[in-house]
Amino acid sequence: MSGYPPGEDPELLRRLLRAKDRMDAASHEAWPVERLASVSGVSEAHFARSFKQAFGVPPHRYLLTRRIERATALLRDTDLSITEIAFHTGWESLGTFGRTFRDITGESPSAIRARAKAAAHELGRVPACIVSAAHRPDLTIAVSEKRRRMTGDIKGSDEKEVP
């Protein structure tokens, strides 16, 4: 034991950051907890629990955020087809990409692209990193929970997400 409270151990945080950096660098790849735990050098259960404690979201939700952020940038900045963007950002199915993208952003990929093209002249002087950060999806709840809430299939609005 290091003597640090959970989530404040500098060695563990360094290991978690290593996995987070790998996801950032290759968000198009599959990152199951087993692979991330291996990169971090800790057990799967410890990794999943510690990652959420350190960064506020589970690893899968963090990866979704990065994929959607990357897809949004590609929709805005390239002429790649939506299908190409889906596969470039790690999705195995166009349908899953479109549904998840809409669930997270509230808009379809084509609507985001159309809005970005219309506003392109306004963003010309803003650095790309600032534009990406401003459009970063906020996944404070699981996508499936968000989907249930949008369809009205929940018991009450005061329910909390179960990890």
Side-chain angles (χ1 to χ4, degrees), residues 4-72:
Y4 289 96
E8 294 182 21
D9 179 353
E11 175 62 22
L12 177 59
L13 289 174
R14 187 180 63 74
R15 290 169 178 254
L16 295 172
L17 280 169
R18 184 182 309 145
K20 187 174 179 255
D21 289 345
R22 294 269 181 97
M23 280 192 283
D24 287 342
S27 62
H28 61 284
E29 293 181 13
W31 288 102
V33 171
E34 177 183 17
R35 182 179 180 197
L36 292 166
S38 175
V39 166
S40 298
V42 297
S43 73
E44 293 177 37
H46 187 57
F47 174 81
R49 183 176 54 253
S50 298
F51 190 96
K52 183 174 181 181
Q53 186 176 22
F55 303 115
V57 294
H60 180 260
R61 198 169 315 152
Y62 178 80
L63 182 59
L64 278 179
T65 301
R66 287 297 181 219
R67 286 182 174 178
I68 295 299
E69 181 180 342
R70 179 72 180 131
T72 301

Side-chain angles (χ1 to χ4, degrees), residues 15-162:
R15 290 169 178 254
L16 295 172
L17 280 169
R18 184 182 309 145
K20 187 174 179 255
D21 289 345
R22 294 269 181 97
M23 280 192 283
D24 287 342
S27 62
H28 61 284
E29 293 181 13
W31 288 102
V33 171
E34 177 183 17
R35 182 179 180 197
L36 292 166
S38 175
V39 166
S40 298
V42 297
S43 73
E44 293 177 37
H46 187 57
F47 174 81
R49 183 176 54 253
S50 298
F51 190 96
K52 183 174 181 181
Q53 186 176 22
F55 303 115
V57 294
H60 180 260
R61 198 169 315 152
Y62 178 80
L63 182 59
L64 278 179
T65 301
R66 287 297 181 219
R67 286 182 174 178
I68 295 299
E69 181 180 342
R70 179 72 180 131
T72 301
L74 290 172
L75 287 164
R76 184 185 61 241
D77 301 335
T78 72
D79 290 324
L80 292 172
S81 72
I82 292 173
T83 302
E84 289 174 299
I85 290 170
F87 292 121
H88 281 346
T89 54
W91 303 91
E92 295 180 9
S93 146
L94 179 60
T96 302
F97 167 69
R99 183 179 63 250
T100 304
F101 190 95
R102 193 178 311 90
D103 287 345
I104 292 172
T105 66
E107 296 181 88
S108 69
S110 57
I112 293 279
R113 172 169 271 167
R115 190 166 41 81
K117 296 286 185 201
H121 67 284
E122 297 170 14
L123 297 177
R125 293 185 169 175
V126 180
C129 61
I130 301 297
V131 174
S132 289
H135 291 103
R136 182 169 293 141
D138 183 21
L139 283 178
T140 56
I141 63 172
V143 174
S144 58
E145 178 66 17
K146 186 174 183 179
R147 192 176 296 135
R148 278 194 296 275
R149 288 182 182 183
M150 290 175 69
T151 61
D153 188 22
I154 61 170
K155 294 178 185 170
S157 61
D158 60 342
E159 291 182 333
K160 296 193 178 185
E161 177 183 4
V162 178

